[in-house]
């Protein structure tokens, strides 16, 4: 496996080869200490100067390199600023101070690098944990197999709304695929028998049988890398802020320092003294702590969240989560466990119960919906053999349909059958009866007729009611439930959970409308969901949250946050964490600014020395970093 290869090649390198910056910093610190020691012992001399100079050159190389690289890109960055400061100190003969600036700056840079690495590690580890399996065709059904163990030539069932697990060729079925993860092209691509499909692309409406043509190790790894890269790219807004800030601020500071250094001497004041003050100003005004203040807090919070199984795809969503004023929940699979069971089976007219269940289960075999699993497992329990099907289509929010033995069989919501004008008053009556008990009614039919009624039942998650309460305590103004289920069923469940408002019989696009309506009154809005039918609403919400384990790949892909452990109590945690992070960022910024300001004031009259300037800057950076790390300690 590529991962294995990477780790062996890392293993054959020594620690220092992998960590050149640490090596340089270590050497440089040792030289500085030696130079100090020697100068105490023997006083200043050319040996001491040589030691200092080597310490400066070794420790400062990465900084100067960065500074020059930024300069080539026509950006004047912090690295450049510090390099100037060091060169100036050397010119003034302040060897020890120059070396100290170099070392303390390198320490600050490394600390920032470590905190970022730690988060990436946490995200990657979680990604490794989500077991990617494929449904491999065997005699009599489909068996989930680890993707990396799927052999070439295996036939794999790809359900609607799930990712294609392997590279392969379609041998049965037709569908459209979203290949944007590979091509960046948002337009879905039609696929039929004979077409090639790629691992990592998203199947939409139809179900496909795909024959694997490649082994999966590489694509699996590629997928993980893509996720990690995405999380990195999400840091971009903060990075851009830093660049914009440095681009304006740094030239201004350099000009100011030049003025302080050379203007007073024009009026006869001592040149050396004022050059020194200019230098101190240069080092003092290095906005390290300020620039670090936001990213370290965000990175630290993202790590804290990842440890709790909450994957946040970017700092932006973390920031928004704390100020949401409305939360919308999907019902099935989100507020309820999604582990449904068939509770009643009512055939109409001459229909035989077993035949009805057989046909319904045959269709549902290809569906990803939690309802489908319930129907199929009931049929299994009764030992029924399921006939083959053709032309399977899922209609998110409505139901599913396929051709079996030459006839079209539909399984789905009463609303869908109503739309087709198939319901009479008798059937409506039966539906109302079962729905008021909180059971979800499903109709089975075909050829313009309704053949029977099935109900499936589902329990609210144990934590649902308390989570809704907790959200209200956190001053979320509105908690609503949006579901495609029957209104009476939805009401019965909503009552147990205590949401403010329930909107039922919603199609996926209706859920989007509902979220947008909420946004008009209670922006920003957070939406939690698990299904294919929730994906558009997750995208529309300001923060979309997907259930990780129970959620479909589309939902996970679209969402901004994933609750890997499917634990709703992580929602109040997310809101609280977000608020703490926002507070902490404010603290950090205020602290960094006040600190800079005080030292700036002290510099012009010449109170501060280079030592104090460096100490203040590194000290402020460290405090900002430690303050941010507090997010990880306490819950
Ligand atoms: P929710 O919003 O509660 O998660 P959905 O929008 O996924 O529910 O589904 C709405 C309704 O559509 C379901 O209650 C069910 O009646 C019907 N439905 C959707 N998909 C299927 C399916 N595969 N089989 C049977 N019924 C389905
Ligand atoms: Mg759902």
């Amino acid at each position: 496996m590529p991962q294995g290869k990477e780790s062996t090649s890392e293993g054959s390198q020594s620690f220092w080869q992998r960590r050149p910056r640490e090596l340089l910093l270590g050497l440089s610190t040792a030289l500085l200490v030696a130079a100090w020691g020697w100068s105490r012992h023997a006083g200043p001399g050319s040996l001491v100067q040589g030691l200092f100079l080597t310490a400066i050159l070794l420790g400062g190389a990465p900084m100067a390199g960065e500074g020059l690289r930024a300069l080539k890109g026509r950006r004047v960055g912090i690295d450049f600023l510090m390099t100037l400061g060091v060169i100036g100190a050397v010119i003034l003969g302040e060897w020890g101070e120059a070396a100290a600036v170099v070392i303390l700056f390198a320490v600050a840079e490394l600390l920032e690098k470590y905190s970022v690495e730690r988060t990436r590690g946490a995200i990657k580890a979680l990604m490794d944990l989500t077991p990617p399996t494929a449904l491999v065709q065997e005699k009599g059904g489909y068996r989930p197999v680890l993707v990396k163990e799927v052999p070439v030539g295996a036939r794999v069932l790809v359900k609607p709304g799930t990712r294609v697990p392997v590279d392969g060729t379609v041998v049965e079925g037709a569908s459209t695929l979203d290949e944007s993860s590979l091509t960046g092209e948002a337009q879905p691509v039609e696929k039929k028998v004979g077409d090639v499909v790629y691992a990592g692309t998203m199947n939409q409406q139809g179900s496909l049988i795909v024959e694997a043509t490649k082994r999966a190790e590489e694509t699996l790894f590629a997928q993980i890398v893509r996720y990690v890269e995405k999380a990195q790219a999400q840091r971009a807004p903060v990075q851009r802020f830093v660049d914009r800030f440095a681009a304006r601020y740094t030239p201004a500071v350099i000009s100011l320092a030049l003025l302080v250094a050379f203007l007073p001497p024009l009026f006869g004041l001592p040149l050396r003294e004022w050059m020194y003050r200019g230098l101190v100003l240069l080092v003092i005004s290095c906005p390290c702590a300020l620039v670090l203040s936001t990213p370290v807090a965000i990175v630290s919070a993202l790590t804290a969240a990842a440890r709790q199984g909450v994957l946040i795809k970017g700092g932006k969503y973390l920031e928004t989560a704390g100020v949401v004023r409305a939360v919308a929940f999907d019902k099935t699979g989100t507020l309820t466990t999604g582990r449904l069971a068939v509770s009643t089976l009512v055939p109409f007219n001459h229909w035989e119960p077993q035949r009805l269940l057989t046909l319904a289960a045959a269709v549902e075999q290809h569906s990803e919906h939690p309802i489908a699993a319930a129907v199929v497992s009931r049929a299994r329990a009764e030992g029924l053999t399921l006939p083959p099907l053709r032309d399977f289509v899922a209609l998110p929010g409505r139901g599913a349909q396929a051709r079996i033995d030459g006839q079209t069989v539909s399984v789905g919501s009463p609303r869908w059958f109503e739309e087709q004008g198939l319901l009479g008053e008798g059937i409506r009556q039966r539906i109302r009866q079962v729905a008021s008990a909180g059971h979800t009614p499903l109709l089975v039919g075909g050829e313009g007729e309704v053949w029977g009624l099935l109900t499936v039942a589902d329990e609210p998650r144990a934590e649902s009611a308390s989570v809704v309460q907790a959200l209200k305590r956190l001053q979320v103004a509105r908690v609503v439930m949006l579901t495609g289920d029957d209104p009476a069923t939805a009401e019965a469940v909503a009552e147990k959970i205590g949401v403010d408002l329930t909107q039922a019989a919603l199609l996926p696009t209706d859920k989007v409308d509902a979220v947008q309506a909420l946004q008009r009154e209670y922006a920003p809005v957070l939406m939690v969901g698990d299904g294919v039918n929730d994906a558009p609403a997750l995208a529309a919400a300001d923060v979309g949250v997907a259930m990780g384990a129970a959620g479909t790949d589309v939902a996970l892909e679209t969402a901004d946050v994933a609750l890997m452990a499917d634990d709703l109590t992580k929602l109040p945690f997310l809101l609280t964490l977000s608020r703490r992070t926002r507070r902490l960022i404010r603290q950090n910024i205020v602290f960094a600014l006040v600190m800079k300001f005080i030292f700036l004031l002290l510099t012009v009259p010449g109170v501060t020395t280079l030592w104090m300037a460096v100490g203040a800057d590194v000290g402020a950076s460290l405090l900002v970093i430690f303050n941010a790390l507090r997010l990880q300690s306490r819950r």
Side-chain angles (χ1 to χ4, degrees):
M1 275 196 62
Q3 280 148 306
K5 236 185 274 161
E6 192 187 71
S7 64
T8 47
S9 73
E10 276 204 354
S12 67
Q13 282 184 341
S14 79
F15 175 79
W16 297 118
Q17 268 171 314
R18 274 179 285 124
R19 301 212 167 268
R21 286 196 172 204
E22 284 82 344
L23 175 64
L24 288 177
L25 176 60
L27 286 177
S28 164
T29 313
L31 287 169
L32 177 65
V33 170
W36 271 333
W38 191 251
S39 67
R40 294 216 151 208
H41 177 70
S46 54
L47 175 62
V48 171
Q49 281 190 2
L51 287 173
F52 275 135
L53 189 65
T54 325
I56 293 168
L57 290 178
L58 285 180
M63 178 173 91
E66 273 300 315
L68 280 182
R69 200 161 330 135
L71 207 60
K72 271 196 205 128
R74 302 193 169 282
R75 285 176 297 118
V76 186
I78 298 162
D79 294 278
F80 182 70
L81 197 82
M82 291 306 264
T83 310
L84 275 190
V86 169
I87 293 174
V90 169
I91 292 175
L92 287 179
E94 303 287 350
W95 298 93
E97 301 195 348
V101 173
V102 159
I103 285 169
L104 292 173
F105 188 72
V107 168
E109 292 254 284
L110 278 180
L111 279 176
E112 195 207 350
K113 195 180 97 184
Y114 287 154
S115 54
V116 171
E117 270 178 9
R118 234 166 86 166
T119 305
R120 288 200 190 129
I123 288 175
K124 199 164 166 223
L126 274 172
M127 283 308 172
D128 287 339
L129 282 182
T130 40
T133 56
L135 288 169
V136 173
Q137 193 174 47
E138 289 184 341
K139 279 186 291 294
Y142 298 96
R143 190 170 62 92
V145 172
L146 281 180
V147 167
K148 64 176 183 207
E149 284 162 13
V150 173
V152 170
R155 294 188 158 209
V156 172
L157 171 62
V158 185
K159 293 182 175 183
T162 61
R163 271 187 186 285
V164 177
V166 289
D167 288 1
T169 318
V170 178
V171 291
E172 264 182 71
S175 185
T176 51
L177 259 61
D178 175 353
E179 297 192 327
S180 58
S181 57
L182 288 183
T183 61
E185 185 60 67
Q187 197 61 36
V189 188
E190 303 216 348
K191 298 284 178 177
K192 52 185 190 321
V193 173
D195 289 344
V196 174
V197 294
Y198 299 100
T201 58
M202 183 73 74
N203 183 20
Q204 298 189 322
Q205 310 282 289
S207 69
L208 297 173
I209 308 261
V210 172
E211 192 173 295
T213 52
K214 277 189 196 146
R215 291 176 52 76
E217 291 97 317
E218 278 173 289
T219 46
L220 169 66
F221 188 67
Q223 221 169 353
I224 291 170
V225 168
R226 257 205 314 280
Y227 269 113
V228 173
E229 278 170 0
K230 209 194 243 161
Q232 287 172 8
Q234 287 287 357
R235 266 169 51 80
V238 175
Q239 210 54 54
R240 271 204 300 279
F241 162 76
V242 170
D243 288 347
R244 259 206 324 266
F245 183 78
R248 299 224 182 108
Y249 178 83
T250 320
V253 161
I254 294 178
S255 321
L256 186 67
L258 285 176
L259 276 183
V260 169
F262 297 112
L263 195 62
L266 286 185
F267 299 99
L269 293 167
L271 174 68
R272 193 174 188 289
E273 163 111 25
W274 283 91
M275 267 182 76
Y276 185 81
R277 288 184 197 177
L279 271 182
V280 175
L281 188 82
L282 208 58
V283 174
I284 269 288
S285 46
C286 167
C288 289
L290 186 63
V291 161
L292 279 176
S293 58
T294 308
V296 290
I298 290 201
V299 162
S300 176
L302 293 181
T303 312
R307 290 230 186 85
Q308 300 279 327
V310 180
L311 267 193
I312 305 174
K313 294 193 190 159
K316 190 166 92 195
Y317 312 112
L318 176 71
E319 285 194 55
T320 314
V323 288
V324 295
R325 292 178 55 227
V327 174
F329 285 100
D330 161 57
K331 181 178 77 78
T332 320
T334 303
L335 283 174
T336 67
T337 59
R339 281 192 297 276
L340 300 116
V342 174
S343 45
T344 41
L345 181 61
V346 188
F348 299 147
N349 308 328
H350 55 279
W351 275 84
E352 204 213 314
Q354 297 238 316
R355 178 76 187 141
L356 189 69
L357 185 61
T358 305
L359 289 178
V363 174
E364 295 289 32
Q365 227 187 158
H366 281 219
S367 165
E368 89 299 345
H369 203 278
I371 288 178
V375 177
V376 173
S377 69
R378 171 68 176 260
R380 287 256 163 75
E382 299 198 3
L384 302 174
T385 359
L386 304 182
L389 76 164
R390 289 178 35 212
D391 304 337
F392 174 91
V393 210
L395 297 114
R398 291 188 167 97
Q401 197 170 49
R403 287 187 72 76
I404 296 168
D405 297 340
Q407 61 183 345
T408 300
V409 181
S410 311
V411 189
S413 70
R415 172 185 168 147
W416 182 33
F417 282 77
E418 188 77 75
E419 283 168 358
Q420 302 171 60
L422 297 178
L423 297 194
E425 198 42 53
I427 297 180
R428 288 197 198 108
Q429 186 75 36
R430 302 291 296 259
I431 292 169
R432 271 196 296 274
Q433 275 167 13
V434 294
S436 59
H439 295 199
T440 299
L442 288 184
L443 294 173
V444 188
E447 313 299 322
E449 262 186 79
V450 185
W451 300 336
L453 171 68
L454 272 172
T455 65
V456 290
D458 186 7
E459 286 297 308
R461 288 180 191 273
E463 73 271 19
S464 291
S466 65
V467 164
V468 169
Q469 288 312 311
L471 290 176
K472 288 186 180 164
R473 273 199 303 278
L474 287 168
Q475 265 101 48
V476 173
R478 210 88 173 118
V479 180
V480 306
M481 181 168 101
L482 307 177
T483 177
D485 207 342
D486 184 86
T489 315
E491 270 311 324
V493 175
E495 198 137 305
K496 288 189 200 161
I497 295 173
V499 290
D500 296 326
L501 176 76
T502 306
Q503 289 175 267
L506 301 178
L507 294 179
T509 48
D510 300 331
K511 290 197 178 191
V512 174
D513 293 342
V515 165
Q516 285 168 347
L518 273 177
Q519 277 167 332
R520 279 191 287 276
E521 255 189 282
Y522 299 101
V525 172
L526 182 147
M527 159 93 197
V528 199
D530 68 316
V532 177
N533 60 320
D534 300 317
L538 290 176
D542 299 282
V543 183
V545 179
M547 306 302 274
T552 50
D553 300 347
V554 188
L556 277 172
E557 185 71 14
T558 322
D560 311 311
V561 178
L563 306 180
M564 300 310 283
D566 282 356
D567 177 358
L568 286 180
T569 60
K570 297 297 189 261
L571 269 185
F573 162 76
L574 173 66
L575 265 64
T576 319
L577 179 70
S578 164
R579 288 177 192 187
R580 286 180 54 203
T581 310
R582 294 171 70 98
R583 236 187 349 257
L584 202 133
I585 289 175
R586 271 198 300 274
Q587 279 170 12
N588 272 355
I589 288 179
V590 168
F591 171 74
L593 285 178
V594 167
M595 186 88 171
K596 286 282 107 134
F597 191 67
I598 292 176
F599 269 77
L600 274 178
L601 287 186
L602 292 178
T603 303
V604 184
V607 176
T608 27
T609 64
L610 255 189
W611 277 110
M612 288 154 106
V614 175
D617 192 57
V618 174
S621 301
L622 284 179
L623 277 178
V624 159
I625 289 174
F626 285 132
N627 196 23
L629 288 178
R630 283 195 308 140
L631 284 174
Q632 296 182 21
S633 57
R634 185 162 54 93
R635 286 210 39 173

